[in-house]
Amino acid sequence: MSKIKVALVGVGNCASALLQGLQYYSNCKKEEECIGLGHLFLGGFHPRDIQIVAAFDVDSRKVGKDLSEAILAPPNNAPKLVDIPKSDVAVLKGPVLDGVGEYTKNVVQISSQPEVNVTNALKESDTEIVIDLLPSGAVKASQWYAEQALNAGCAFVNATPAFIASDAAWARRFENAELPLVGDDLIDQVGATTLHKTLLKLLSMHGVRITETYQLDVGGGTESLDTLERTRDVKRTVKTRSVEAALPYKAEVVAGSMDYVDFLQNRRDSYFWIRGLYFCKTPMQIDLKLSTVDSPNAGSVLFDVIRAVKIAINKRLKGTILPICAYAFKHPPQMMPLETAEKIFTDFIMEKA
Ligand SMILES: NC(=O)c1ccc[n+]([C@@H]2O[C@H](COP(=O)([O-])OP(=O)(O)OC[C@H]3O[C@@H](n4cnc5c(N)ncnc54)[C@H](O)[C@@H]3O)[C@@H](O)[C@H]2O)c1
């Protein structure tokens, strides 16, 4: 089977987990041995069928370095999970645009190397799929890379919260170019918002009247620092709406409020507090903490997305691919319940071209 050729935009913590995961699972043969993977095979593709053929960043500790070295360079603080052999892909310098914010300008060191022609680099590396792993506040840079994907004839995966796949104008442009587009804002494998919604749904299904609930996140990656400055409010609005939708009635809900604690490194703590009334208005309360490491939380979902987009390419699908968006992203063009998203994704994978 031919390789799925992928370019990474942003060689940060997520890229590190993705690359390490490709190595970690490369020799895995049986589903039952592959702890931590949603699917070992998806549409006939194994994770080892994914090949990173190009990568772009702006940090001097990453640009010009082999990808295997760049993923471990600071300020990345994703844990080292496995030894990575040399990849023979050197990280290329792209334009900075709004990639670095006020809070991260002392953390990211901008390389003085000249920018490459990104469209040409995508064409020369035979990239089929561009994955946007830029900081969440880099909205202009994300749009710029979507433009380069269009120019180079590549599918585009937006893992960031910038509105691209959920924007009708961008969807039309990819449709006209006959290329797949998926996004926005990748779902975590062990997701705090999903857990929160599932708990609320379970309680309300059992007749509990939730009166108040909140979810607070604390993280120590560069992304948490960037969020604090540039996307905190947007994330809070998106997550609060999403959690509210899990209840069939109105309640006081706050979700996705966050802070940055540097010594947590790439770890993330999510706190959930739920208060409600059950039989004869007896009060109940839940206090819960979920601890995860941020970057590996993107790995399994990215493996599924890359292989599903390859299936879309093989089927010659164009524009936003709803089954992939709804299954793997927090802000798809159309929201739907988890079970429905799961079902249309499975049907999409099983359908013959
Ligand atoms: N579990 C997860 O980690 C997860 C889940 C959902 C969504 N996401 C999203 O994925 C994205 C990446 O997250 P991360 O933790 O890897 O972030 P990160 O800050 O660790 O990495 C971002 C990388 O982009 C580089 N960069 C900045 N400006 C650039 C530019 N103009 N061109 C090229 N590179 C540039 C930075 O140098 C850095 O290497 C974020 O938008 C985040 O919201 C992550």
Side-chain angles (χ1 to χ4, degrees):
M1 190 170 279
S2 65
K3 295 280 186 189
I4 309 172
K5 294 186 175 169
V6 170
L8 302 178
V9 179
V11 184
N13 283 319
C14 263
S16 176
L18 176 69
L19 209 75
Q20 295 193 63
L22 288 176
Q23 179 65 21
Y24 186 92
Y25 289 107
S26 58
N27 292 320
C28 219
K29 291 190 180 67
K30 293 187 195 144
E31 294 273 355
E32 58 274 22
E33 287 168 4
C34 298
I35 294 172
L37 266 196
H39 304 91
L40 176 58
F41 286 94
L42 196 110
F45 294 105
H46 189 280
R48 67 173 159 261
D49 297 320
I50 300 170
Q51 185 186 4
I52 311 298
V53 293
F56 305 91
D57 208 286
V58 293
D59 194 303
S60 59
R61 294 159 291 184
K62 298 171 183 174
V63 171
K65 301 277 163 40
D66 187 86
L67 197 50
S68 56
E69 206 183 316
I71 56 167
L72 301 175
N76 287 10
N77 51 16
K80 185 166 186 275
L81 306 166
V82 68
D83 286 329
I84 299 276
K86 208 164 173 289
S87 70
D88 289 327
V89 173
V91 177
L92 302 172
K93 166 99 186 277
V96 181
L97 303 163
D98 57 352
V100 181
E102 200 48 39
Y103 287 15
T104 53
K105 69 179 186 207
N106 297 325
V107 176
V108 177
Q109 298 175 6
I110 305 287
S111 159
S112 56
Q113 288 208 24
E115 290 165 18
V116 298
N117 180 320
V118 171
T119 299
N120 285 351
L122 292 173
K123 284 184 183 164
E124 282 159 15
S125 57
D126 286 331
T127 297
E128 295 171 277
I129 305 172
V130 175
I131 317 267
D132 179 356
L133 295 171
L134 289 171
S136 58
V139 175
K140 285 200 181 79
S142 283
Q143 292 172 345
W144 189 86
Y145 273 97
E147 200 78 56
Q148 307 314 301
L150 279 170
N151 295 342
C154 305
F156 192 73
V157 173
N158 176 32
T160 84
F163 293 164
I164 296 180
S166 57
D167 179 280
W170 277 107
R172 237 183 343 267
R173 294 192 61 195
F174 275 81
E175 180 147 8
N176 292 341
E178 305 194 348
L179 295 166
L181 166 67
V182 299
D184 300 317
D185 201 358
L186 197 75
I187 276 183
D188 282 329
Q189 184 179 13
V190 187
T193 306
T194 305
L195 177 64
H196 196 181
K197 289 172 76 165
T198 307
L199 271 175
L200 295 181
K201 201 166 168 194
L202 180 75
L203 291 165
S204 73
M205 267 165 46
H206 287 217
V208 179
R209 169 65 62 138
I210 306 296
T211 50
E212 294 142 339
T213 182
Y214 65 71
Q215 173 196 324
L216 306 178
D217 298 318
V218 190
T222 316
E223 172 56 20
S224 296
L225 191 58
D226 193 53
T227 303
L228 198 61
E229 178 209 345
R230 304 197 281 182
T231 49
R232 192 174 191 237
D233 290 347
V234 171
K235 283 195 171 178
R236 181 168 156 150
T237 308
V238 168
K239 288 185 182 175
T240 298
R241 275 197 206 133
S242 170
V243 172
E244 276 171 344
L247 288 172
Y249 48 77
K250 278 229 164 295
E252 297 287 337
V253 178
V254 171
S257 205
M258 64 89 54
D259 214 329
Y260 172 73
V261 176
D262 58 352
F263 62 74
L264 277 182
Q265 296 282 310
N266 196 218
R267 297 197 306 278
R268 175 179 295 264
D269 288 337
S270 301
Y271 297 89
F272 308 85
W273 184 86
I274 303 171
R275 187 145 78 178
L277 301 167
Y278 64 109
F279 197 61
C280 298
K281 289 192 178 171
T282 308
M284 54 76 55
Q285 193 171 304
I286 295 178
D287 250 317
L288 205 69
K289 175 182 166 191
L290 168 70
S291 290
T292 53
V293 182
D294 221 18
S295 52
N297 230 333
S300 174
V301 188
L302 277 174
F303 279 9
D304 285 356
V305 168
I306 292 167
R307 293 176 290 175
V309 170
K310 175 65 176 178
I311 293 168
I313 293 171
N314 287 349
K315 289 184 184 176
R316 299 184 188 284
L317 300 179
K318 51 191 185 174
T320 47
I321 314 297
L322 191 60
I324 308 177
C325 298
Y327 166 78
F329 295 90
K330 296 188 202 99
H331 196 262
Q334 194 186 317
M335 282 283 189
M336 57 186 74
L338 291 175
E339 315 78 70
T340 316
E342 186 91 32
K343 169 147 190 354
I344 64 166
F345 181 74
T346 308
D347 291 349
F348 170 79
I349 299 303
M350 306 301 278
E351 267 165 24
K352 292 271 173 283

